[in-house]
Amino acid sequence: GQQVMQIPQYQHVQEGEDFTTYCNSSTTLSNIQWYKQRPGGHPVFLIQLVKSGEVKKQKRLTFQFGEAKKNSSLHITATQTTDVGTYFCAGRIGSNYQLIWGAGTKLIIKP
Amino acid sequence: DGGITQSPKYLFRKEGQNVTLSCEQNLNHDAMYWYRQDPGQGLRLIYYSQIVNDFQKGDIAEGYSVSREKKESFPLTVTSAQKNPTAFYLCASRPGGGLAGAGEQFFGPGTRLTVL
C-alpha cells in the first residue's frame, strides 16, 4: 500500500543543537500535516502544508513541502527540553479522507 | 470545554473477551477516526466515519467493529477475533466541509488496552 517513510527513527541531541526529520512519499501528496506527541500523550497538530515548495515557520520550527509534493521536512533550531517528543508527518493523497502516517521521529535530549 | 474524551484511560481484559472503547466529542465534527498505535510505531487506521450512520474500514479493521449512531459518539469494539489487541487506541475527529480530507485532526487522550 501507499506509505510515507520518515527518518530517522530517533535523534539524540544536546540541548541547543538543531533537529531535523524527513518524510518521503512515493506518491504525490495533496497536503501534508505535522503532529507532535509528547511521551504518554496524544498527537497534537502543528501545521498543514498544501502548496508545492511551501515553507512555514513557527518560532524555532521550520516546515518545508517539496516542489514535487512528495517530501517534507521539519527543522527545529536550538532545541529545548520542551521539544522532547515524537514528531509525525501525515500525508493525504487526492481527496482521500485518510491520512497516511509516517512512523515518527523521536527527539531525545541528551542529559 | 470542547474536546474529545476517551474512557477509560487504562483498560485490562482477559483474552477472549470483547471490549468496547468509548469516544465522545462535543466539537460538532462530522468525521471521526480510530487509530491503533504500537510502541515505536506510527498510527494505523482502524475505522473512520465521515457522517452519522456511515463508516469505512481502514487498513487494520479485522477483529474490530464500530458504530456511528450519533454525531458525537464513535465507540470501538475490540473483539476476541483480534489476534493481538494490546495497544494504545486513539480516537480523533475532524470538521467536515471544505477541501475534502483537509484540515487537522483533533485527538482524544487515548485508551491503553492490555489483554492478559
Side-chain angles (χ1 to χ4, degrees), chain B residues 34-101:
Chain B
W34 272 107
Y35 292 96
R36 170 181 172 140
Q37 187 175 34
D38 294 284
Q41 296 190 29
L43 279 64
R44 291 186 291 168
L45 183 65
I46 305 173
Y47 269 97
Y48 66 101
S49 168
Q50 299 172 24
I51 198 168
V52 174
N53 292 321
D54 182 65
F55 48 84
Q56 307 293 330
K57 291 183 179 180
D59 299 321
I60 56 165
E62 186 176 349
Y64 299 97
S65 65
V66 293
S67 63
R68 186 86 188 275
E69 297 176 1
K70 296 187 297 181
K71 189 174 186 177
E72 315 82 66
S73 179
F74 191 39
L76 173 75
T77 297
V78 185
T79 74
S80 56
Q82 168 52 230
K83 296 285 186 276
N84 185 19
T86 295
F88 187 43
Y89 290 88
L90 287 158
C91 179
S93 71
R94 186 187 60 79
L99 182 62

Side-chain angles (χ1 to χ4, degrees), chain A residues 1-4 27-33 35 48 90-101, chain B residues 31-33 35 45 47-50 55-59 94-105:
Chain A
Q2 291 137 350
Q3 285 187 323
V4 172
T27 307
T28 301
L29 301 170
S30 54
N31 61 60
I32 193 160
Q33 298 176 4
Y35 291 78
Q48 176 172 282
R92 196 178 308 280
I93 296 172
S95 59
N96 198 317
Y97 276 85
Q98 295 187 46
L99 285 173
I100 303 170
W101 291 77
Chain B
M32 296 187 75
Y33 304 79
Y35 292 96
L45 183 65
Y47 269 97
Y48 66 101
S49 168
Q50 299 172 24
F55 48 84
Q56 307 293 330
K57 291 183 179 180
D59 299 321
R94 186 187 60 79
L99 182 62
E104 68 177 281
Q105 293 189 7

